Amino acid sequence: MKNIILRIKNHINDRIKFPLIRLLFFQKYIIKDTPTTLQFINETRCSVSRYGDGEFDMIIGGCRGFQSYNKKLAIRLKDILQSDLPNHIVCLPYTLKCTANQRGYAHYFWKDYFQTHYKDLQSILKPRKVYYDSLITRFYMDLEDKSICPQIISQLKNIWRNRNILLVEGALTSSGIGNDLYNNAKSLRRIICPPENAFEKYDKILKTVKDNAQKNDLILISLGMTATVLAYDLAKESYQAIDLGHLDVEYE
């Protein structure tokens, strides 16, 4: 009997309580969708720092994937969440706001993540700040309706069309190798970084990028949580730097 009552309560929470909480939450916090985000990047040539569950977990005291917990990294990630550089945007998963087009595991993961962590998010996000979509680089595998994918790919490739790319990536990433992802770029150079715990070498990575980058380069970064911070610090130096995450995997 107790199990039945518990299931009924959970069902009520799922169908009534949390949709209402989400509605009220996103009256206070703003996240733009993927097409709007990509249009803004193309129009303004801004830098981009992206957040996902791993970055959030790092801030609230956990660790994830290829980066062990690092207190300095956690502090930097929290500070950047509330930053306001004119040439830089901060991106959050649009799936916190809406999971309607997410399939299978992704749908339930993000639904549960919001329900579990919305109080934590409320404590670290800046009210009324305009956030953009971090899932600009996760545009295929988790989508139920994939008809928007060609538009997203076109918008992405337009970012580096005829640009000189400086690609900063982990040693095992090999972004764009074996496919035509960057074929419309003017040129492409690479800086190879540690495949794990890259933030431990952050000062060296930042210096190496600045020593090798030209001001008109487009700096693309695939380096886990370190990319989130690196894109921000390069934006402060007037470079355009974009955290691309696992874009190459989605494109393949």
Side-chain angles (χ1 to χ4, degrees):
M1 185 65 179
K2 289 182 179 180
N3 289 336
I4 295 175
I5 293 173
L6 181 60
R7 285 200 298 268
I8 292 172
K9 286 182 177 179
N10 288 339
H11 180 74
I12 291 172
N13 283 342
D14 194 43
R15 297 298 297 273
I16 298 175
K17 179 182 176 181
F18 285 111
L20 178 59
I21 289 173
R22 182 179 279 113
L23 177 64
L24 295 174
F25 187 92
F26 287 106
Q27 287 180 354
K28 189 175 182 181
Y29 303 101
I30 303 163
I31 305 179
K32 301 292 186 179
D33 62 16
T34 288
T36 303
T37 300
L38 290 172
Q39 180 180 351
F40 187 82
I41 296 169
N42 273 296
E43 288 177 351
T44 65
R45 289 196 169 188
C46 61
S47 291
V48 179
S49 291
R50 297 168 48 258
Y51 286 74
D53 57 299
E55 286 76 14
F56 294 142
D57 290 348
M58 177 66 70
I59 292 171
I60 61 180
C63 62
R64 182 68 63 87
F66 298 103
Q67 179 64 58
S68 301
Y69 179 75
N70 183 296
K71 185 176 180 179
K72 182 177 179 181
L73 174 58
I75 292 170
R76 291 299 316 275
L77 289 171
K78 184 176 180 179
D79 289 344
I80 293 167
L81 263 181
Q82 302 191 18
S83 63
D84 283 304
L85 284 180
N87 62 333
H88 173 267
I89 61 174
V90 177
C91 296
L92 313 179
Y94 188 76
T95 43
L96 292 171
K97 183 175 182 179
C98 179
T99 59
N101 195 30
Q102 296 291 297
R103 61 195 292 266
Y105 172 79
H107 170 81
Y108 292 104
F109 173 85
W110 285 111
K111 188 176 181 181
D112 179 72
Y113 194 87
F114 177 80
Q115 292 178 3
T116 305
H117 295 287
Y118 72 91
K119 290 182 180 179
D120 294 319
L121 295 172
Q122 189 169 269
S123 71
I124 60 178
L125 298 181
K126 185 175 182 179
R128 310 318 306 169
K129 175 177 172 60
V130 177
Y131 292 101
Y132 292 83
D133 186 14
S134 64
L135 299 180
I136 55 174
T137 62
R138 299 292 295 271
F139 59 84
Y140 182 78
M141 287 188 282
D142 290 338
L143 293 190
E144 188 70 46
D145 177 10
K146 303 184 189 300
S147 62
I148 195 173
C149 294
Q151 174 192 339
I152 295 173
I153 291 171
S154 177
Q155 286 180 294
L156 280 165
K157 286 191 170 187
N158 194 56
I159 294 172
W160 49 80
R161 183 181 303 278
N162 296 324
R163 299 285 301 276
N164 295 310
I165 295 176
L166 180 60
L167 184 57
V168 184
E169 63 179 358
L172 303 179
T173 303
S174 303
S175 183
I177 294 178
N179 59 51
D180 65 352
L181 181 57
Y182 305 118
N183 279 13
N184 64 339
K186 186 175 181 180
S187 67
L188 190 152
R189 307 174 335 266
R190 296 176 189 266
I191 293 176
I192 306 302
C193 303
E196 296 185 9
N197 295 315
F199 195 76
E200 308 298 332
K201 304 292 184 181
Y202 184 76
D203 291 341
K204 182 177 180 180
I205 292 170
L206 177 60
K207 183 179 185 304
T208 301
V209 173
K210 290 166 65 174
D211 286 347
N212 287 274
Q214 303 296 320
K215 285 297 184 180
N216 63 343
D217 284 343
L218 172 62
I219 304 171
L220 301 180
I221 314 166
S222 184
L223 204 57
M225 300 178 196
T226 300
T228 306
V229 179
L230 186 59
Y232 175 80
D233 285 344
L234 290 170
K236 289 195 298 183
E237 301 284 342
S238 299
Y239 296 98
Q240 185 186 12
I242 299 177
D243 168 13
L244 279 187
H246 296 295
L247 172 63
D248 181 77
V249 176
E250 293 284 319
Y251 187 71
E252 285 282 359

